[in-house]
């Protein structure tokens, strides 16, 4: 199928594009390069030996988006593009609401105008709020602790209402848990512009000596070792989940957790990284980070069953592939 991928040069988007190309799809990538680099596109094409049509367009630019839809015959959309730094979203909420919500609406408006009825949306486990684990797709959502999370929850609700009003509009909401890792080639990986937010980039910075110590946010959570527990999923497994969602899309709205179903603490991840890569990760315990929840991991039975998809790579592969990419960056 001819798939339009927004945010396709980003961390998750680029890995998903490689999986989509390898599954035989043709891609049109739309990205404003706000949080990604154009050389990623060349790497995606080199890895798959496939051409990609690319537009550097901001999705809030309705005219530019409409023009793309008027030129190409599009069979489906995968919408990754969005600002995703939790802390930043608290500081500049209007930027987050405007960018993330308007982008989604502009995109859906074009889909309906040009009869594009397959829509896969990059959502997040954040929408569950501080719920009881394991998080299940059918559970009631609780308020998230930040505007970023609210933009994901709102986008889900917008897509659900649009699907209700347009019965042929088929939506797959994919709730990611904690994506980490990198393509095994070492060519693609997480390259955040600006301030880091997530754990794994800080782990690699500490391992490389770029920072003296990794700050572990809290050691008094009610968990196996007092540190936060998350469901880390390899980005290539996440990518495979998108191929499966596209292949199994059906009328109405389907919601799927994309995780491993396994929780890993910060300390367990640090030790796995050290063991797998034979390198020390210096760290220190500091206060909890405001807004963090203690434990978050998925019930993945629905995606396993309905998408015939299961995450295959373990925490050691996540650490190994991350480190390989980081070392390639230095070269
Ligand atoms: C993981 C664990 C921290 C940094 C967020 C978003 C979510 C998704 C993934 C976009 C927690 C601890 C972290 C550090 C630490 N993003 N930590 N020291 O907060 O679970 O989820 O990113 O889709 O939507 O909410 O991810 O990687 O920031 O934190 O101790 O320097 O690592 O306390 O327990 P999080 P994270």
């Amino acid at each position: 199928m001819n798939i339009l991928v927004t945010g396709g040069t980003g961390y998750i988007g680029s890995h998903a594009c490689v999986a989509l190309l390898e599954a035989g799809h043709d891609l049109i990538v739309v990205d404003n390069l706000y949080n990604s680099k154009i050389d990623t596109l060349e790497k995606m094409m080199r890895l798959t030996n496939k051409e990609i049509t690319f537009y550097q367009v901001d999705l809030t630019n309705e005219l530019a988006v409409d023009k793309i839809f008027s030129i190409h015959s599009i069979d489906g959309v995968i919408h990754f593009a969005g600002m995703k730094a939790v802390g930043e979203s608290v500081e500049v909420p209007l930027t987050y609401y405007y960018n993330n919500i308007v982008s989604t609406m502009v995109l859906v408006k074009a889909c309906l105008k040009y009869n594009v009825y397959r829509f896969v949306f990059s959502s997040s486990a954040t929408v569950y709020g501080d719920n009881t684990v394991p998080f299940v797709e059918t559970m009631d959502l609780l308020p998230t602790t930040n505007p970023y999370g609210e933009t994901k929850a709102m986008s889900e609700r917008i897509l659900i209402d649009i699907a209700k009003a347009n019965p042929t509009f088929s939506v797959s909401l994919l709730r990611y848990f904690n994506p980490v890792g990198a393509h095994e080639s070492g060519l693609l990986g997480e390259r955040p512009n600006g301030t880091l937010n997530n754990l794994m980039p800080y782990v690699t910075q500490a391992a490389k000596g770029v920072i003296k110590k990794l700050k572990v946010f809290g050691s008094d959570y009610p968990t196996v070792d007092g540190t936060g527990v998350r469901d880390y999923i390899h980005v290539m497994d996440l990518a495979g989940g998108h191929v499966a969602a596209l292949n199994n899309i059906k009328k109405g709205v389907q919601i799927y957790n994309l995780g491993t179903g396994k929780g890993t603490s910060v300390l367990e991840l640090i030790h796995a990284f050290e063991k797998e890569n034979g390198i020390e990760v210096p760290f220190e315990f500091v206060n909890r980070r405001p807004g963090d929840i203690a434990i978050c991991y998925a019930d993945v039975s629905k995606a396993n069953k309905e998408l015939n998809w299961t995450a295959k790579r373990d925490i050691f592969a996540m650490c190994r592939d991350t480190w390989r990419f980081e070392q390639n960056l230095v070269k």
Side-chain angles (χ1 to χ4, degrees):
M1 291 191 276
N2 209 23
I3 305 298
L4 185 140
V5 180
T6 74
T9 53
Y11 171 45
I12 298 166
S14 58
H15 287 82
C17 282
V18 167
L20 288 160
L21 289 165
E22 285 173 350
H25 297 293
D26 295 311
L27 303 185
I28 301 152
V29 170
V30 179
D31 201 304
N32 64 5
L33 299 179
Y34 167 78
N35 193 26
S36 58
K37 297 170 174 65
I38 190 64
D39 67 347
T40 301
L41 192 71
E42 185 272 326
K43 289 175 182 166
M44 290 150 63
M45 293 193 278
R46 185 168 13 133
L47 270 175
T48 58
N49 198 23
K50 296 269 183 80
E51 285 301 310
I52 297 172
T53 304
F54 177 74
Y55 292 93
Q56 184 178 352
V57 159
D58 189 302
L59 288 174
T60 59
N61 180 340
E62 195 165 343
L63 277 179
V65 170
D66 188 271
K67 183 126 179 64
I68 295 168
F69 276 76
S70 69
I71 296 170
H72 297 276
S73 163
I74 297 165
D75 301 305
V77 166
I78 302 186
H79 181 29
F80 291 104
M83 298 175 76
K84 62 167 188 174
V86 169
E88 185 185 49
S89 77
V90 175
E91 289 160 25
V92 285
L94 177 59
T95 307
Y96 270 69
Y97 284 115
Y98 187 84
N99 182 73
N100 289 5
I101 303 294
V102 172
S103 296
T104 301
M105 292 196 287
V106 165
L107 201 53
V108 174
K109 188 174 173 184
C111 286
L112 296 181
K113 178 177 175 184
Y114 291 94
N115 302 317
V116 176
Y117 287 127
R118 296 179 186 87
F119 196 97
V120 177
F121 177 64
S122 162
S123 191
S124 168
T126 304
V127 303
Y128 286 107
D130 197 0
N131 241 305
T132 47
V133 284
F135 293 172
V136 185
E137 292 89 346
T138 50
M139 71 197 325
D140 291 337
L141 304 184
L142 298 177
T144 72
T145 58
N146 58 84
Y148 157 74
E150 286 307 294
T151 67
K152 289 299 183 184
M154 284 178 191
S155 293
E156 285 196 1
R157 288 199 297 277
I158 289 167
L159 290 165
I160 288 166
D161 287 346
I162 290 166
K164 275 186 199 144
N166 301 272
T168 53
F169 192 57
S170 309
V171 176
S172 189
L173 302 175
L174 303 182
R175 291 175 177 168
Y176 307 164
F177 281 72
N178 286 63
V180 293
H183 189 270
E184 39 270 27
S185 65
L187 282 176
L188 298 179
E190 193 168 8
R191 296 167 74 181
N193 293 344
T195 51
L196 303 182
N197 295 283
N198 297 125
L199 176 62
M200 191 63 102
Y202 277 115
V203 166
T204 55
Q205 296 252 323
K208 290 197 289 190
V210 174
I211 58 175
K212 275 171 70 66
K213 287 182 181 176
L214 163 71
K215 291 183 179 354
V216 177
F217 297 140
S219 57
D220 60 349
Y221 284 107
T223 63
V224 59
D225 54 27
T227 64
V229 169
R230 295 292 184 274
D231 185 333
Y232 297 98
I233 175 170
H234 196 292
V235 67
M236 284 314 292
D237 280 328
L238 195 61
H242 287 76
V243 176
L246 199 59
N247 292 342
N248 293 281
I249 206 157
K250 41 188 181 251
K251 295 213 179 337
V253 179
Q254 313 304 323
I255 303 175
Y256 298 106
N257 287 335
L258 294 189
T260 63
K262 183 183 177 319
T264 301
S265 77
V266 177
L267 281 181
E268 286 169 338
L269 188 140
I270 291 169
H271 295 146
F273 191 95
E274 291 180 324
K275 183 165 181 278
E276 183 64 26
N277 297 312
I279 188 163
E280 192 202 354
V281 177
F283 68 88
E284 60 180 339
F285 292 114
V286 297
N287 292 333
R288 294 182 179 191
R289 178 173 62 178
D292 271 356
I293 62 176
I295 304 180
C296 165
Y297 62 87
D299 175 315
V300 291
S301 50
K302 188 180 178 201
N304 295 164
K305 185 164 148 283
E306 293 187 14
L307 301 182
N308 188 26
W309 168 89
T310 305
K312 296 180 174 54
R313 298 164 178 89
D314 65 12
I315 198 79
F316 297 102
M318 295 176 211
C319 292
R320 180 172 63 247
D321 294 342
T322 298
W323 190 232
R324 183 187 304 112
F325 173 71
E326 285 299 323
Q327 290 180 298
N328 271 1
L329 277 182
V330 173
K331 281 178 197 153

